Amino acid sequence: MKKKLFYKIYPAYLLLIVVPLLIFIWYFSYSLEKFFLRNAIKELSIRANLLKTTIEENLFVPQNRLHILLKKIGKSSNTRITIIDLKGKVVADSSKEAFAMDNHLMREEVQAVLRGGKEGSSIRYSTTLKMRMIYLAIKLNSNPPVVVRVSTPLNKFDSKIASMKNKVLIFSSSILFLILLISFYITKRIVKPIESLRVAAISFANGDLKYRPEESSIKEISELSYSMKKMARDIEKKIEETTKQKKEYETLFTSMTEAIIAFDSNLIAFNANKPALKMLNRDIDFIKGKTIIELIRNVELKNFFYEATHLKQKREKEIKIYNGNEEKVYNVTISTILSDKNRRIGFLLILNDRTKIVELENIRKKFVANASHELKTPLTTIRGFVETLLNEKVEEEDRVKFLKILLKHTNRLSKIVNDLLDISKIENEETSLATYFYSVEKILLSAIEVLKDKACDKNITLKHSCLKDMVASINPYYMERAVTNLIDNAIDYSNKDGLIEIKAEKKSGKTVISVVDQGIGIAEEEQRKIFERFYRVDKSRDRKKGGTGLGLSIVKHIVKLHKGAVEVESVLGKGSTFRIVLPD
């Protein structure tokens, strides 16, 4: 992580000053402690040597008298005195009875004397007195020779050392605080104008040219500040000159609904509007620097693009382009981009998606053709029989027969018109269909009741299965119509003495209504087309039965209104299963 200039300069100042100061404090404290300890040892040495004569004169007196003597001398001089023989046994002590004391042979100061040293000293914690002590031992050349050890508590020396250290620490802290302030002030004075230049540079980079860096007394920084201010003023003027043209261009470019990709004179893309980015499913950074074939892999479009740019004139063509998994139809236009001096500086590729228009046109043509075909047959038949009836020579028996045929075809025309009106009505209710929870079993029984006579004519058994308490959020009228159409379709395409099962069940939180027949079945390639208007699997048979080819289309629209799906599974010669899947 990058740090600010202040945090690079300021710590460096502190490091250069604080480290030597800390070293000085440490060394001074260490030297002070050593000084006091040396003095303490010297003082103990003087005391021990002063006691030599007294101890030598009284060395052989009874032990209790020697203990009293040492106690008296130790109390007057605030010193503990211990006499130890060469085997470490305590002969007498000013603070404690000798027989109660441990062997002192391995004491550091005693060992130093026994090894031939003039004196021996050590500092340690006394378990007897429960405090830190400083010990000094000397050897008496008496007969027998003994070691005299004197000791004194370090408390008084520790307090003196601590007092001196506190004074040094207070003085050093004051100096350190002063150094911190001075260093902070100097660093800020150096960094502030540089920081102002940094903020100015960032502001300029972000498009804010109004910011101005602060003046500085440092010559180099002042010159740099002046240059940045001049640069900002120059950029502002150039921006003002181009802003109007840019806004006009952007308004025109972004407001168009067509996908537009701009290419420079080298046929490299450099810009695109939102519809183009959405079409390519890419961002603007991907678009920039790409050729037409890198953006859209279509040979026909590539050839047309390069042909149009070579001719340098506006050209249009309708081209099919795969967009993802879909094939879409685009009206492609190539136009030239000209500069204010009428020089060619690039090209615009404009793609207008006409897929829905083409699809709707195809659907319209197909519907008109199918409707015309469906209406033409009964109309032709009606016309023929009407012309025949106008002939006075028609027998009465034939006249009745012809009128029945006319009635049949008139009913067929009426059914086609009614089914078309129903589809139109259903489509118009897409946003206002009222649904509520209703018994699914009632829907099935009602649909079966409508078609039981037609089923009996072919000796077809209608069997249903559904839980009595099963409900679904539906519009009862439309859902009954959908189920009726499925059962009616199953009867039409089932052989005599067959079985049709109508069942409803809950699966994965959804309501599934199935109509299963044992009829002629549907080929796999036709299964996706059967829900189209006027489409028939067996056209001759359907017309013979009076079908309009609109029943399954009505089912699809009703189920779509319920935000559900209709599915089909079929095997030729074995039958079909139609399912209505409704969300709960």
Side-chain angles (χ1 to χ4, degrees), residues 550-568:
L550 295 169
L552 291 180
S553 181
I554 291 172
V555 172
K556 182 186 76 172
H557 281 79
I558 290 174
V559 174
K560 184 179 176 183
L561 279 176
H562 287 79
K563 294 181 172 45
V566 58
E567 302 171 353
V568 60

Side-chain angles (χ1 to χ4, degrees), residues 135-149:
Y135 298 92
L136 185 130
I138 61 173
K139 186 177 178 183
L140 293 184
N141 294 320
S142 58
N143 188 19
V146 293
V147 175
V148 177
R149 187 187 71 177

Side-chain angles (χ1 to χ4, degrees), residues 448-462:
I448 291 170
E449 181 66 25
V450 172
L451 294 167
K452 67 178 182 179
D453 292 338
K454 183 175 180 179
C456 285
D457 292 341
K458 295 180 70 174
N459 197 29
I460 291 173
T461 301
L462 300 178

Side-chain angles (χ1 to χ4, degrees), residues 151-164:
S151 61
T152 187
L154 278 176
N155 294 352
K156 59 181 180 180
F157 298 108
D158 286 342
S159 60
K160 289 181 180 179
I161 292 169
S163 176
M164 290 298 293

Side-chain angles (χ1 to χ4, degrees), residues 278 318 326-331 352-365:
K278 185 177 180 181
E318 199 166 87
E326 295 181 282
E327 183 182 70
K328 292 196 172 185
V329 180
Y330 289 93
N331 183 50
N352 186 13
D353 189 355
R354 288 179 47 83
T355 307
K356 288 186 179 179
I357 296 173
V358 172
E359 286 178 356
L360 290 172
E361 182 65 19
N362 290 335
I363 291 171
R364 184 190 66 78
K365 289 179 181 178

Side-chain angles (χ1 to χ4, degrees), residues 197-376:
L197 291 174
R198 185 188 71 83
V199 173
I202 293 173
S203 299
F204 297 166
N206 292 332
D208 180 14
L209 299 174
K210 300 296 182 184
Y211 184 86
R212 293 293 181 264
E214 296 181 8
E215 295 292 337
S216 174
S217 58
I218 302 172
K219 182 180 178 183
E220 291 82 355
I221 295 177
S222 178
E223 290 175 354
L224 181 58
S225 175
Y226 174 79
S227 299
M228 291 186 71
K229 289 177 184 177
K230 185 176 184 302
M231 178 185 69
R233 286 193 294 271
D234 293 342
I235 293 174
E236 279 182 329
K237 288 181 181 178
K238 290 181 180 180
I239 288 176
E240 287 174 3
E241 292 172 0
T242 58
T243 296
K244 186 178 179 181
Q245 294 178 356
K246 182 182 176 182
K247 285 183 178 178
E248 291 174 353
Y249 167 74
E250 285 180 348
T251 301
L252 180 65
F253 194 64
T254 56
S255 63
M256 295 184 73
T257 57
E258 295 85 356
I260 304 173
I261 304 174
F263 293 83
D264 60 22
S265 57
N266 295 319
L267 306 184
I268 301 298
F270 66 87
N271 204 354
N273 65 354
K274 288 183 179 179
L277 298 177
K278 185 177 180 181
M279 170 194 164
L280 299 173
N281 195 24
R282 299 287 189 176
D283 57 20
I284 191 64
D285 292 331
F286 177 85
I287 300 292
K288 292 178 179 179
K290 299 291 191 302
T291 61
I292 182 65
I293 197 63
E294 289 176 307
L295 296 176
I296 307 173
R297 298 187 179 280
N298 185 285
V299 176
E300 185 181 3
L301 175 63
K302 182 199 76 170
N303 294 336
F304 174 67
F305 180 78
Y306 286 120
E307 179 185 339
T309 53
H310 178 71
L311 294 173
K312 301 176 185 177
Q313 60 184 20
K314 183 177 179 179
R315 303 234 10 222
E316 292 186 27
K317 187 176 183 180
E318 199 166 87
I319 299 174
K320 291 181 179 180
I321 299 173
Y322 278 96
N323 190 357
N325 296 323
E326 295 181 282
E327 183 182 70
K328 292 196 172 185
V329 180
Y330 289 93
N331 183 50
V332 181
T333 304
I334 311 294
S335 61
T336 305
I337 304 174
L338 299 174
S339 67
D340 52 354
K341 296 181 179 179
N342 209 29
R343 289 176 54 248
R344 178 174 60 85
I345 58 174
F347 299 92
L348 287 180
L349 171 65
I350 306 169
L351 300 105
N352 186 13
D353 189 355
R354 288 179 47 83
T355 307
K356 288 186 179 179
I357 296 173
V358 172
E359 286 178 356
L360 290 172
E361 182 65 19
N362 290 335
I363 291 171
R364 184 190 66 78
K365 289 179 181 178
K366 191 175 181 180
F367 174 75
V368 171
N370 287 335
S372 299
H373 183 72
E374 293 297 326
L375 294 171
K376 182 179 179 182

